[in-house]
Amino acid sequence: MTLATHDNVIRYLSHWASVSPTKPALVFPRNVSPSGTIDYQQLSFEQLEDRVNRLAASLAARGIGRGDAVVVMIPMSLELYSLLLALLKLAAPIVFIDPWVGLDQIKRCIALTSPKAFAGVPLIQLLGRATGALKDIPIRLTARGPARFGELQLEQLIEATAPAVETAAVQPDDTALITFTTGSTGTPKGANRTHGFLVAQHQALSRELGLTPEDVDLPALPIFILNNLASGVTSVVPRMKPSKPSAIDPRVIIRQIQDWGVTTAVGSPAYFAPIADHCLAHGLSLDTVRAVFTGGGPVPPGLLGKLRKVLPNGSAYVGYGSTEAEPVALIEAAEACDETDALAEAGHGTCVGRLAHGISAKIIRRIDGPVALGPQGWEAIELGTGEVGELVVTGEHVGKDYYRNPEAVLANKIRDPHGTLWHRMGDLAYFDVQERLWVVGRVNNAVQHGDRTLYPLQVEAIARQLPFVRHAALIERPGARAILVVAPHAPGQWWQHRTWKEALLAHMTGRGAPVDEVRFIRRMPLDPRHNAKIDHAKLRRMLG
């Protein structure tokens, strides 16, 4: 099914509820018995549409409608997706805040969006009451637990009787979903995902992932469930804690794959690593899976090779993108393992493959602050093949602005002479002669060392060549000093640090990536969403 960009994205659900009414849409694991048997909760497309329609009617009867922002802080669950779809039906902008962000950031997001309602689990509601963070929000919706005085219980709203409401008509630029990227201080940067953007992103993901209604997907990333519902694909939600994807029980995930004949799966490298290790350790294979898609951060050495071994009838792919632009590029495991991984380990950067359909990209020289093209246009700043610079992209599924944040738009977008808006990915990268994209680090993390620039992903890969290095991070300290921070595989062996430090300094110099100092820490700070990317900013704060 194809929608025009002016249609409300909820119409995808209506289509599949009509075409495949009894087909499972959402499948959630509830309990796992000691023997490993899993009890599931499931809803068909028809049941889900009915649930969404009833909830939308109840919300409308309580004054929530077009343009009324609603903050949502509910974990992956039936309640979450029922609410998201009901709000889309009403054209009420969804403000999605990750549960692991700090209270100060939550307050900033609320102040920016002026929500009419807040939806959260009881613990979040209690925290909001105790701190006063929710005092100016008129309506409180509580899910997955008892509602306190002044709160509406979401599950009861679904069962309530209220006059039916029509699906709201929308324009392409109407805000559907606001998701926050970076910004632990100051004004939050909320990516404005309009209805037109969501339709374009769905079409792009469908092309790259190759999903068909016959697929059964295991999505570990919440946004992909919405794409599955638009594609008529059954979503089997993995049993996991979203903020700790590496802490899964791989036996349970494998059992879910077997129970439902899962054909595709999406998740971060940290999520797939224990699954692949368990399969290899116990001689298991994932016979029904035809495709695995991972991304969100660097893929650790060896993971793609492991996935190839446990997918006898499938392939693994690494996707590259961001909140504002997803997907941007894709590489298949065979090409990575056979060609680019050795180059990456030698310090060439991380190859993320070739551009996705519908994406155009340029590499421009690094420019601090906003970019305004002069009379020469791109010619004055665009770099050639093999030259490292800042990556900028454009396409129908690339976000055009940030919600109520013109400063972020000015800093992160470029308008060319034709009126096309380009997004600054914030990554330093280059194209090779085969038109493959190589990322070498974040713009803000490059280290100026003497008369040359050191790029984090290149230097860190060289450090990981030594067997005792688990994670490595390159940071710059005052005086243009290049510091290599290392989290070893055996952090308790402190008596080895001197030997390791000498080995690293000699190794880095010998490989053409000299550093001034080596420091050891027990655990490297990683991003909370994917547990895959090193949080360089947090690391700098840790070191003082």
Side-chain angles (χ1 to χ4, degrees):
M1 178 193 180
T2 300
L3 287 187
T5 55
H6 63 269
D7 283 321
N8 190 319
V9 292
I10 193 65
R11 296 195 188 279
Y12 281 114
L13 176 62
S14 300
H15 169 79
W16 293 112
S18 173
V19 172
S20 305
T22 61
K23 181 180 179 178
L26 295 174
V27 179
F28 291 91
R30 287 191 289 202
N31 301 309
V32 181
S33 72
S35 65
T37 302
I38 303 174
D39 174 42
Y40 294 98
Q41 177 189 30
Q42 61 176 297
L43 244 67
S44 69
F45 278 94
E46 184 178 54
Q47 290 170 325
L48 179 60
E49 183 189 40
D50 178 64
R51 184 184 179 95
V52 168
N53 287 341
R54 285 187 279 116
L55 178 56
S58 290
L59 294 175
R62 285 155 180 82
I64 297 176
R66 175 186 298 278
D68 294 325
V70 179
V71 172
V72 177
M73 294 188 69
I74 301 173
M76 288 175 68
S77 60
L78 181 56
E79 291 76 21
L80 171 64
Y81 290 99
S82 298
L83 178 59
L84 295 183
L85 295 167
L87 294 174
L88 288 173
K89 181 180 178 71
L90 297 172
I94 301 160
V95 183
F96 198 83
I97 303 177
D98 289 320
W100 53 79
V101 303
L103 180 62
D104 288 343
Q105 182 71 342
I106 292 173
K107 290 180 178 179
R108 293 188 191 99
C109 295
I110 289 173
L112 177 72
T113 56
S114 306
K116 187 169 186 177
F118 179 93
V121 296
L123 182 61
I124 294 292
Q125 296 281 11
L126 182 61
L127 178 64
R129 283 177 177 270
T131 61
L134 310 182
K135 60 182 177 64
D136 296 325
I137 302 178
I139 301 174
R140 315 279 177 83
L141 306 170
T142 300
R144 303 180 65 77
R148 296 177 177 83
F149 178 76
E151 299 171 1
L152 298 171
Q153 225 277 336
L154 194 65
E155 289 82 354
Q156 292 179 358
L157 290 180
I158 293 172
E159 301 302 326
T161 300
V165 294
E166 294 294 321
T167 296
V170 297
Q171 295 299 314
D173 291 336
D174 287 347
T175 298
L177 177 65
I178 303 165
T179 53
F180 291 92
T181 54
T182 56
S184 57
T185 61
T187 303
K189 199 167 69 173
N192 184 17
R193 301 186 186 213
T194 65
H195 280 267
F197 170 85
L198 288 182
V199 171
Q201 185 179 57
H202 160 65
Q203 293 168 352
L205 286 171
S206 297
R207 286 193 300 267
E208 298 303 321
L209 304 185
L211 293 174
T212 72
E214 286 69 43
D215 279 312
V216 177
D217 188 45
L218 189 81
L221 303 174
I223 194 67
F224 283 88
I225 294 180
L226 293 178
N227 185 65
N228 289 345
L229 292 172
S231 302
V233 170
T234 297
S235 294
V236 179
V237 180
R239 185 180 177 88
M240 63 178 290
K241 186 175 181 179
S243 62
K244 293 186 177 180
S246 60
I248 60 167
D249 184 339
R251 297 170 299 176
V252 175
I253 305 299
I254 293 167
R255 182 62 181 264
Q256 289 184 262
I257 292 172
Q258 295 168 340
D259 286 349
W260 288 91
V262 166
T263 61
T264 60
V266 180
S268 72
Y271 165 80
F272 281 118
I275 297 173
D277 288 341
H278 184 84
C279 286
L280 291 174
H282 296 84
L284 302 175
S285 61
L286 306 177
D287 298 332
T288 63
V289 179
R290 67 167 183 83
V292 159
F293 301 91
T294 189
V299 177
L303 177 57
L304 292 180
K306 293 176 182 179
L307 288 173
R308 292 178 76 186
K309 292 178 181 177
V310 303
L311 297 173
N313 304 311
S315 300
Y317 301 84
V318 179
Y320 167 73
S322 68
T323 299
E324 299 93 338
E326 176 74 32
V328 168
L330 203 72
I331 188 170
E332 203 266 332
E335 183 174 12
C337 292
D338 299 340
E339 297 182 37
T340 64
D341 278 359
L343 296 173
E345 291 175 14
H348 287 242
T350 298
C351 184
V352 295
R354 293 171 178 82
L355 296 178
H357 295 289
I359 286 285
S360 296
K362 296 180 184 294
I363 304 294
I364 64 172
R365 58 183 175 82
R366 292 174 61 186
I367 298 174
D368 294 330
V371 175
L373 295 179
Q376 291 181 288
W378 291 111
E379 185 179 346
I381 60 173
E382 188 172 3
L383 302 178
T385 299
E387 294 184 279
V388 173
E390 183 179 355
L391 174 65
V392 298
V393 301
T394 191
E396 288 296 324
H397 63 281
V398 176
K400 302 299 186 289
D401 65 353
Y402 295 98
Y403 192 76
R404 295 181 179 175
N405 194 337
E407 293 83 5
V409 174
L410 182 64
N412 294 277
K413 309 296 178 180
I414 305 171
R415 188 174 297 277
D416 70 16
H418 303 290
T420 301
L421 213 60
W422 294 70
H423 173 65
R424 304 173 72 176
M425 292 291 290
D427 281 328
L428 294 169
Y430 66 93
F431 282 102
D432 66 16
V433 294
Q434 298 182 52
E435 298 185 338
R436 294 179 302 204
L437 181 64
W438 292 76
V439 178
V440 298
R442 299 291 290 171
V443 171
N444 294 333
N445 293 335
V447 173
Q448 194 63 39
H449 189 244
D451 60 354
R452 62 176 295 194
T453 303
L454 299 178
Y455 302 112
L457 293 183
Q458 294 180 333
V459 173
E460 292 158 6
I462 292 172
R464 289 196 303 270
Q465 293 173 1
L466 296 186
F468 57 84
V469 176
R470 182 182 183 188
H471 291 121
L474 177 71
I475 63 171
E476 185 174 3
R477 306 303 292 161
R481 291 178 57 79
I483 310 298
L484 184 67
V485 184
V486 171
H489 284 287
Q493 296 182 6
W494 55 267
W495 61 88
Q496 293 272 42
H497 286 187
R498 181 174 179 178
T499 301
W500 288 345
K501 181 180 295 187
E502 291 174 352
L504 273 164
L505 288 172
H507 174 73
M508 301 306 292
T509 299
R511 297 299 187 278
V515 296
D516 298 309
E517 185 181 343
V518 174
R519 296 189 188 182
F520 292 97
I521 59 174
R522 294 186 62 85
R523 184 175 300 155
M524 193 69 71
L526 303 175
D527 71 292
R529 181 177 284 117
H530 302 298
N531 293 174
K533 292 181 287 192
I534 293 173
D535 189 335
H536 287 76
K538 184 175 182 180
L539 181 59
R540 284 190 286 267
R541 293 194 298 270
M542 287 171 53
L543 297 179

